[in-house]
Amino acid sequence: MKRVSLIQQLWFLVVSAVVLAAAGSLVANLYNARDYLEQQLATQSADAANSLALLITQNHAEKAMGETLINAAFDQGHFRRITWLDPDGKPKIQRVNEVQFGGAPGWFRRVLPLNASPARAMISSGWMQAGVVEVVSDASYAYVSLWQGALTVSFWVLMAGVVVGLIGSVGVNTIRRQLLAVVDQAKAITQRRFVTIPEPEGPEMGRLAQAMNAMVTRVKVMFEEEAARLEEMRQQINFDKVTALANRDYFMGRLGATLGEPDVAQEMLVLIRIGALAELNAHLGRPLTDEMLAQFGRALRDTRRFGDDSIAARLNGADFTLMAQQSCVDADKVRELHDELAAQLSSFAGQPVLLAMAATDLRQGDSIRDVMSRLDAALALSEVNGSTRVEVAVGNVAKPLAITAEQWGGLLDRAVAERGFKLVRFAVRGSDGGMLHEEAPLRLKQGEDWLPAGQFLPMAIRTRRVAALDLAAVAMALEQLAAEPACAGLGVNLAAESLDDDGFIVQLATLIRGQRQAAARLWLEMAEAGIMPRFERFRALCLALEELPCRIGIEHFGRQFSLIGQLHDLGIDYLKVDGSFVQQIEQQSGNQTFLKGVCNIAHNIGLGVIAEGVKTEPEATMLFSLGFDAITGPGVK
């Protein structure tokens, strides 16, 4: 049996009250009018009877004159019957009107009958009684008056009912809006979006909204306090206090995670060494040296110059490093950076400062030892050459396709049109070893080879075709999910730059809505670094997908940890913690505490937590003990 909603009950009460009030008013008015008309009919009959009796008496009760007077009164048409009864009660003269005036319907006469009671007056002839005259008024005209009055009253009662109904409608709709606001707030909480609503003016709904808002506010405050505590812990564990750059352990974890990804992005790694830093410290003193290094760190942390996903670190006292996309830091830009940093240090120190610098690209199959060995050799060469130039480590490595942006655009357009892509799969497993879902990065067919996303995605972004690629990847994933009911799920990486396309969110929602059954096993994720500058667009994406069965998450989480304080009203489903926190986690007590706090705060708002870049069994065991729900990486098969 269908349950009746509160709004429907309110409507029923409003309509019932209006109908009952209108009906009661109409009935009361009609009965009052009938009583009044009956009194008028009785008065008319009495007046006529008295007048006729007096006139007949004045004419000595002569029958002929009496008949004339009775006929004259009867012919006026206001009487049903006029009778002169003799002293024995027998009719002496009688006039009866058998015709009924039809101005009112028959059913109305039956429902509201008018009782016209007869009136009598005595007739005398001298001192002798000559009988009585009996008059009964005709109710036809009274029925017409009563019917017309009923119509008029019904019209105005109906109008009053409409007005009351409109007023009631405004009131019910106001209550409905207030209730829906509270319901939407409760629904948002179940979807892990802790939002507040304006408090309604009414005391009852106002108190309810106030209680809900107070709860949400407490959750937000608790969330923000915990996020601030974890951020402080992250800074203490993973960052240098003087320069605010990442420390060696964190950077090596990030480098290892990057090299362990299925698609090694086109990134450049720069190693920098400040010459004779100990002598500078003795010359300037520690406070000034720290200030110089702080300025040096700010120059390396310039994400507007090196990209949102860049990372700079202090490896030891005088050694620094910078890792960024080659599109932001190529060989020429590294040389410019060398000259700028050398000039900055020399200006601050008031004397020439030597700055050795080496650079290399990250290559598929590289290990951390491979990369650092190349850099150490190149840095030594830079120092031998007087630290006046940048040494770039080169080797016999595969380079990206040497084609123009226009050619890249044509290549990507053909690939989308001809479905020249494929999805490769990597396992994401839970603590029980079961498959949670499979990551499905995109590959682009080029001749006989399949290019990883790291080689074609930068050009897709540059040529504004990244949204089309993401939609193609989602469409392909949905097709594979529909064709493989046994597949646990597929995770598709969406580029945050797709959000810059105004039509992307609508197209994505439409695509998923068309395959709701398969979409229940679809996992969508975006990188934290790309979300930060587009946070409101990402929020719009989450709102557009909230009613759809797919899941949405954030990958590489933790690189810019400030985002955690804003997760409470997004409605996302899971976080993928960056592999830089995961490397050798069984030996990192500080990061263990940090990651356990991340799991706790995420679980408290209903988010799943997945670890990226897991390579070894000890790492996996430790991560599950810290509260992670699943893991992925080179060591997960």
Side-chain angles (χ1 to χ4, degrees), residues 125-152:
S125 176
W127 294 102
M128 303 293 293
Q129 182 180 355
V132 294
V133 62
E134 184 181 85
V135 178
V136 179
S137 294
D138 189 355
S140 297
Y141 291 101
Y143 273 119
V144 172
S145 176
L146 185 62
W147 171 247
Q148 291 176 346
L151 293 178
T152 302

Side-chain angles (χ1 to χ4, degrees), residues 11 41 79 84 139 156 159 179 187 199 246 260 276 352 424 548:
W11 268 116
L41 289 173
F79 304 101
W84 182 356
W156 287 112
M159 290 297 100
L179 281 174
K187 186 177 180 181
E199 294 182 8
V424 295
L548 299 175

